[in-house]
């Protein structure tokens, strides 16, 4: 379910889970971070390079990004709502597979990074991308990894299956400094499965 590009409410997702269970399905990939970022944790604070960005500032930045991508009356699921979705899915025998794209398809996160004051978060090459992370900006990369780590920790604590991350490293990108971070990130995500 692409809940990143279009917001779906807790009630709508629970109704989908009910239909899936009746039809014999057992897994739902929930793409909450796909262009938009439609799920906010209670604590969205992020510390990057010795600077802590408050939960309110990060949440506000993501909300601004969601509004710019697709203007909805409500834009994000809360942690309490996700807890309810996961509990209901478990009761119905549906495994939720959380999905958060990076370093592409992350419009709202990039807007949040710039909202808190980290400049040049968007990839620039032959053009400036609204969706892709500037892999040469260590502060933007570190912000993204810190944010992703929060979600990995949340889903690891729920026992909700594996997380899915889209990693697209271009041959033209200077990736030498982040390659180890990406492998560490994959290890962290794989720990959810354990």
């Amino acid at each position: 379910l692409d809940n990143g590009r279009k917001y779906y409410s807790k009630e709508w997702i629970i109704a989908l889970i009910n239909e899936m269970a009746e039809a014999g399905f057992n897994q739902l990939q929930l793409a909450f971070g796909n262009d938009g970022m439609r799920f906010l944790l209670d604590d969205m604070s992020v510390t990057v390079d010795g600077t802590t960005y408050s939960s309110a500032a990060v949440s506000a930045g993501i909300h601004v990004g969601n509004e710019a991508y697709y203007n909805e009356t409500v834009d994000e699921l809360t942690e309490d709502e996700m807890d309810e979705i996961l509990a209901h899915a478990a009761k119905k025998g549906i495994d939720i597979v959380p999905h958060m794209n990076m370093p592409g398809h992350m419009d709202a996160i990039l807007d949040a990074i710039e909202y808190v004051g980290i400049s040049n978060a968007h990839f620039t090459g032959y053009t400036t991308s609204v969706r892709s992370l500037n892999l040469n900006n260590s502060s933007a990369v570190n912000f993204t990894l810190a944010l992703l780590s929060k979600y990995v920790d949340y889903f690891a604590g729920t026992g909700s299956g594996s997380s899915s991350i889209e990693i697209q490293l271009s041959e033209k990108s200077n990736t030498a400094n982040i390659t180890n971070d990406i492998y560490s990130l994959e290890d962290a995500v794989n720990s959810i499965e354990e």
Side-chain angles (χ1 to χ4, degrees):
L1 174 65
D2 189 348
N3 199 40
R5 290 187 174 118
K6 182 178 183 339
Y7 170 80
Y8 292 95
S9 69
K10 173 194 76 173
E11 293 77 16
W12 195 96
I13 296 170
I14 285 175
L16 175 63
I17 289 167
N18 290 337
E19 289 181 29
M20 291 175 66
E22 288 177 25
F25 290 94
N26 63 6
Q27 192 174 71
L28 171 63
Q29 182 173 359
L30 184 59
F32 64 88
N34 189 29
D35 294 337
M37 183 67 173
R38 306 300 179 168
F39 166 43
L40 297 179
L41 298 166
D42 291 342
D43 177 15
M44 293 294 292
S45 62
V46 175
T47 301
V48 177
D49 303 333
T51 301
T52 299
Y53 302 98
S54 73
S55 182
V58 174
S59 296
I62 288 173
H63 183 72
V64 166
N66 284 336
E67 287 287 305
Y69 183 77
Y70 193 97
N71 189 359
E72 295 273 355
T73 304
V74 177
D75 286 301
E76 302 92 13
L77 293 166
T78 67
E79 189 170 327
D80 285 342
E81 290 173 321
M82 186 61 77
D83 289 346
E84 289 181 51
I85 290 167
L86 296 173
H88 186 75
K91 187 172 81 176
K92 293 290 188 174
I94 304 288
D95 184 28
I96 299 294
V97 179
H99 178 102
M100 183 175 170
N101 277 334
M102 60 182 49
H105 300 284
M106 50 184 287
D107 312 29
I109 296 172
L110 294 172
D111 288 343
I113 292 169
E114 293 191 345
Y115 182 89
V116 300
I118 299 171
S119 59
N120 302 314
H122 293 83
F123 170 78
T124 54
Y126 53 90
T127 186
T128 298
S129 172
V130 297
R131 293 185 166 77
S132 299
L133 178 64
N134 178 357
L135 297 175
N136 295 312
N137 181 334
S138 63
S139 294
V141 169
N142 290 338
F143 184 100
T144 303
L145 292 172
L147 186 64
L148 178 63
S149 178
K150 294 179 92 62
Y151 284 95
V152 168
D153 289 347
Y154 170 79
F155 284 108
T158 67
S160 10
S162 62
S163 183
S164 177
I165 302 170
E166 181 175 337
I167 299 174
Q168 303 169 341
L169 298 178
S170 166
E171 292 177 14
K172 296 179 181 177
S173 298
N174 177 8
T175 60
N177 294 331
I178 67 159
T179 300
N180 288 336
D181 289 335
I182 294 296
Y183 288 125
S184 297
L185 181 60
E186 288 176 337
D187 291 342
V189 171
N190 289 335
S191 73
I192 292 176
E193 294 177 355
E194 297 172 354

